[in-house]
Amino acid sequence: ICTYQSFVNAFEKAQNTVVESDIPISSSYGLITLIIDNLCFIASLGCSRCIMSTYNGNNIYQMTKNQDLNNEEEKERIEKRGGKIQNFQNINYLMPEMKKCVRMISNDHPTLYDSVVPDVVSFQIKENADFLILMNQGVFDYLTNEEIVYHVFKAVKNLDLRHNSNNEDTYKAIVKEVIYNCIRKGNG
């Protein structure tokens, strides 16, 4: 069965592979979800998020922590190592690099504050679960967890009215609805 250390080892191996390659990668986040029967494991590295909807959207849970520098635990971890954090327009940045997030896989100017250690959570998926949705920061910069769940249900409802939807149609409709509303809100 999976353990916390298994995920840490996997992320460290990915980091070592990137560092040993000659392919420049400024930063890469990771959000790995593994489901075995009704047990779900999520390993999160960087600015990614997983939320779960239950009871037809009536309960919404953020399953992962934000690992940007607005997270107090992350901020403390950096400051304990001597990092300087400054706030610009309500967003914390590591100075002088101007990084918003320092948990990442990278071979481009790593700092002593960077980390490839993921947060790992596990939980049982119960019958009342509607869905899990995994996303990157580009989505939750513009939409709240509640708005994301609303748009998922809206997309599915619109497809159900057409009666001929398959899984691929459903996934495309969800992505289109969520991304469209990120863009609309971002341009508003």
Side-chain angles (χ1 to χ4, degrees):
I1 192 93
C2 293
T3 64
Y4 169 77
Q5 194 58 48
S6 301
F7 285 107
V8 170
N9 292 346
F11 278 91
E12 286 176 347
K13 185 173 182 175
Q15 170 67 17
N16 291 337
T17 300
V18 167
V19 168
E20 291 168 4
S21 76
D22 57 355
I23 302 169
I25 297 176
S26 61
S27 65
S28 183
Y29 307 133
L31 187 59
I32 297 173
T33 302
L34 175 64
I35 299 172
I36 303 171
D37 296 322
N38 66 340
L39 190 57
C40 182
F41 299 89
I42 300 172
S44 174
L45 181 72
C47 297
S48 302
R49 182 181 295 177
C50 176
I51 57 176
M52 180 170 63
S53 169
T54 63
Y55 293 104
N56 297 312
N58 288 309
N59 295 327
I60 300 167
Y61 304 96
Q62 185 170 319
M63 306 308 292
T64 56
K65 292 186 277 188
N66 292 349
Q67 293 177 340
D68 61 23
L69 296 177
N70 291 320
N71 173 320
E72 285 302 315
E73 287 177 29
E74 200 63 6
K75 194 173 158 186
E76 279 181 34
R77 183 180 73 80
I78 301 303
E79 290 174 338
K80 281 182 182 176
R81 292 180 172 189
K84 303 288 185 236
I85 296 173
Q86 290 186 339
N87 187 289
F88 297 107
Q89 299 178 345
N90 294 321
I91 299 173
N92 288 328
Y93 293 92
L94 175 65
M95 300 306 290
E97 294 89 348
M98 290 295 291
K99 289 183 177 182
K100 292 193 308 185
C101 188
V102 293
R103 288 210 197 194
M104 67 188 83
I105 294 171
S106 176
N107 63 0
D108 183 36
H109 304 90
T111 70
L112 72 104
Y113 314 110
D114 293 345
S115 173
V116 296
V117 177
D119 284 332
V120 179
V121 295
S122 63
F123 55 92
Q124 285 200 320
I125 300 173
K126 302 197 174 162
E127 288 184 25
N128 61 6
D130 305 318
F131 57 83
L132 292 170
I133 188 164
L134 291 71
M135 69 207 92
N136 68 10
Q137 184 172 1
V139 175
F140 62 83
D141 274 352
Y142 295 103
L143 299 176
T144 65
N145 293 345
E146 293 74 18
E147 289 171 322
I148 293 163
V149 169
Y150 168 80
H151 290 300
V152 168
F153 275 103
K154 181 179 173 187
V156 171
K157 180 181 176 189
N158 288 341
L159 273 178
D160 286 345
L161 296 175
R162 288 189 250 149
H163 302 294
N164 293 351
S165 61
N166 60 35
N167 284 343
E168 186 175 345
D169 290 340
T170 302
Y171 305 142
K172 286 178 181 178
I174 290 169
V175 169
K176 182 179 178 182
E177 175 73 16
V178 170
I179 299 302
Y180 169 79
N181 282 284
C182 286
I183 293 168
R184 186 179 62 77
K185 201 167 180 185
N187 289 333

